Amino acid sequence: MAPFNFTHSDASTFILMGIPGLEAAHIWISIPFFTFYIISLLGNVMLLSVVSKEQTLQKPMYLLLCMLALTDIATPTFVVPKALGIFWFNLKGITLAGCLTQMFFLHTISVMHSSTLVTMAFDRYVAICNPLRYATILSNAQIAKLGLAGLIRAVLFILPLPLLLSQQTFCANHIIPHTQCEHIALEKMVCGDFTVSRIYGFVLMFVISGFDLTLIAMSYGLIIRAVLRISSQKAHQKALNTCTAHICVMLTYYTPTFFSILTHRFGQGIAPYVHIILADLYLLIPPMLNPIIYGVKTKELRDKVVKYTCRSSADTRDNISSGLQCPSGNCQIVREYVNQH
């Protein structure tokens, strides 16, 4: 495929290099990028569709799953199309405004994702420790308010980052050795004093992550204490099973996030393309795995997905069968064949 080079040397334009050092493998690298993106879109859109269509699933726990699915759709959508443009067509140019916008939305959605995980931990705490008051403490309206509060928090915390960077002077080459406009990558291009921006970004990372993880740890500490007070072993197992999916989702999100951030900050001996691949994978893997985890671990959701899928397949077969033309009068035989297949 002949590359289309639309990069410019304008002072307001940056150049995203993709994965430096692996340029020859860009086409091959694009295959898992595209595959993970499509799987995450299909899984999360299906989850949203099933919850919206099934009245029995329109409860706080599943509304939280829908919030998580929305962040899982948005996160790779702000990364993958541009990355594929670099890999397939050599479309490396991006304006300063576009770069700062991408950075703002990526980090805002990440903070929103973390807020959703905190709310889900609180949901599990109420469900196990105060089951009789669950409906009054966590109604659908309360979940909507918590979601709005998480969004406002994310915007207020992240908005200063692009505002601070927009006031800086960037070095002449304007080359970003990455597939996306990360805050750390943009910081390294600043020619002037960026101490304030760097300290704010560093503190923000630990304040948000530390605060959210503390709340999650407190929720699970109270859950474990409540479970240990239960004498029945079967009740122990049932209570812990309700938390399994949430724990798996947290591990798939926080583990690669911290690993990527720490290696970026302190892993000077690691090859640059390793940093870039890790940063991309932590934006691609969790959105793909989350609907699978909840589909496997949550029986009610799994049953509804199977029911919805089977019903759609049955409707398709009926439409095909009713649309068949049988001049010879053998329609009954044909319909029986379609129903069997």
Side-chain angles (χ1 to χ4, degrees), residues 112-177:
M112 183 63 191
H113 191 112
S114 186
S115 299
T116 304
L117 292 179
V118 173
T119 310
M120 293 174 81
F122 179 64
D123 170 78
R124 292 300 84 203
Y125 158 73
V126 176
I128 293 173
C129 300
N130 294 284
L132 298 180
R133 298 179 57 202
Y134 181 86
T136 56
I137 296 175
L138 282 177
S139 62
N140 289 351
Q142 286 296 105
I143 293 297
K145 291 177 183 177
L146 288 172
L148 180 60
L151 178 60
I152 293 173
R153 181 189 80 147
V155 171
L156 291 179
F157 277 134
I158 299 300
L159 187 58
L161 290 177
L163 292 179
L164 287 171
L165 284 174
S166 66
Q167 306 302 315
Q168 299 292 335
T169 302
F170 295 92
C171 295
N173 57 18
H174 284 201
I175 294 175
I176 303 175

Side-chain angles (χ1 to χ4, degrees), residues 189-323:
M189 297 178 56
V190 174
C191 292
D193 183 16
F194 61 96
T195 304
V196 175
S197 175
R198 184 171 188 176
I199 292 175
Y200 182 79
F202 200 68
V203 171
L204 189 65
M205 177 186 69
F206 282 101
V207 167
I208 292 177
S209 300
F211 180 73
D212 289 355
L213 286 173
T214 299
L215 291 179
I216 291 172
M218 289 174 59
S219 296
Y220 274 98
L222 295 171
I223 288 171
I224 291 171
R225 187 180 69 173
V227 169
L228 291 176
R229 290 178 178 177
I230 303 173
S231 57
S232 169
Q233 187 68 28
K234 186 176 180 180
H236 282 183
Q237 189 67 29
K238 184 177 180 181
L240 292 176
N241 280 343
T242 63
C243 301
T244 304
H246 182 246
I247 292 172
C248 292
V249 167
M250 284 195 303
L251 289 175
T252 61
Y253 177 72
Y254 285 114
T255 302
T257 298
F258 277 109
F259 191 71
S260 174
I261 291 172
L262 291 176
T263 54
H264 215 308
R265 290 281 182 182
F266 307 110
Q268 276 71 29
I270 300 176
Y273 62 81
V274 175
H275 294 296
I276 298 168
I277 292 173
L278 285 175
D280 286 331
L281 287 180
Y282 110 80
L283 295 175
L284 289 170
I285 299 297
M288 180 184 67
L289 292 181
N290 289 346
I292 298 174
I293 291 170
Y294 272 100
V296 170
K297 293 292 184 180
T298 310
K299 184 178 184 301
E300 186 178 10
L301 178 61
R302 183 173 66 248
D303 292 343
K304 296 299 182 183
V305 169
V306 172
K307 172 188 170 184
Y308 179 71
T309 305
C310 291
R311 186 169 61 193
S312 298
S313 299
D315 291 343
T316 301
R317 286 201 307 269
D318 290 342
N319 290 337
I320 294 173
S321 178
S322 62

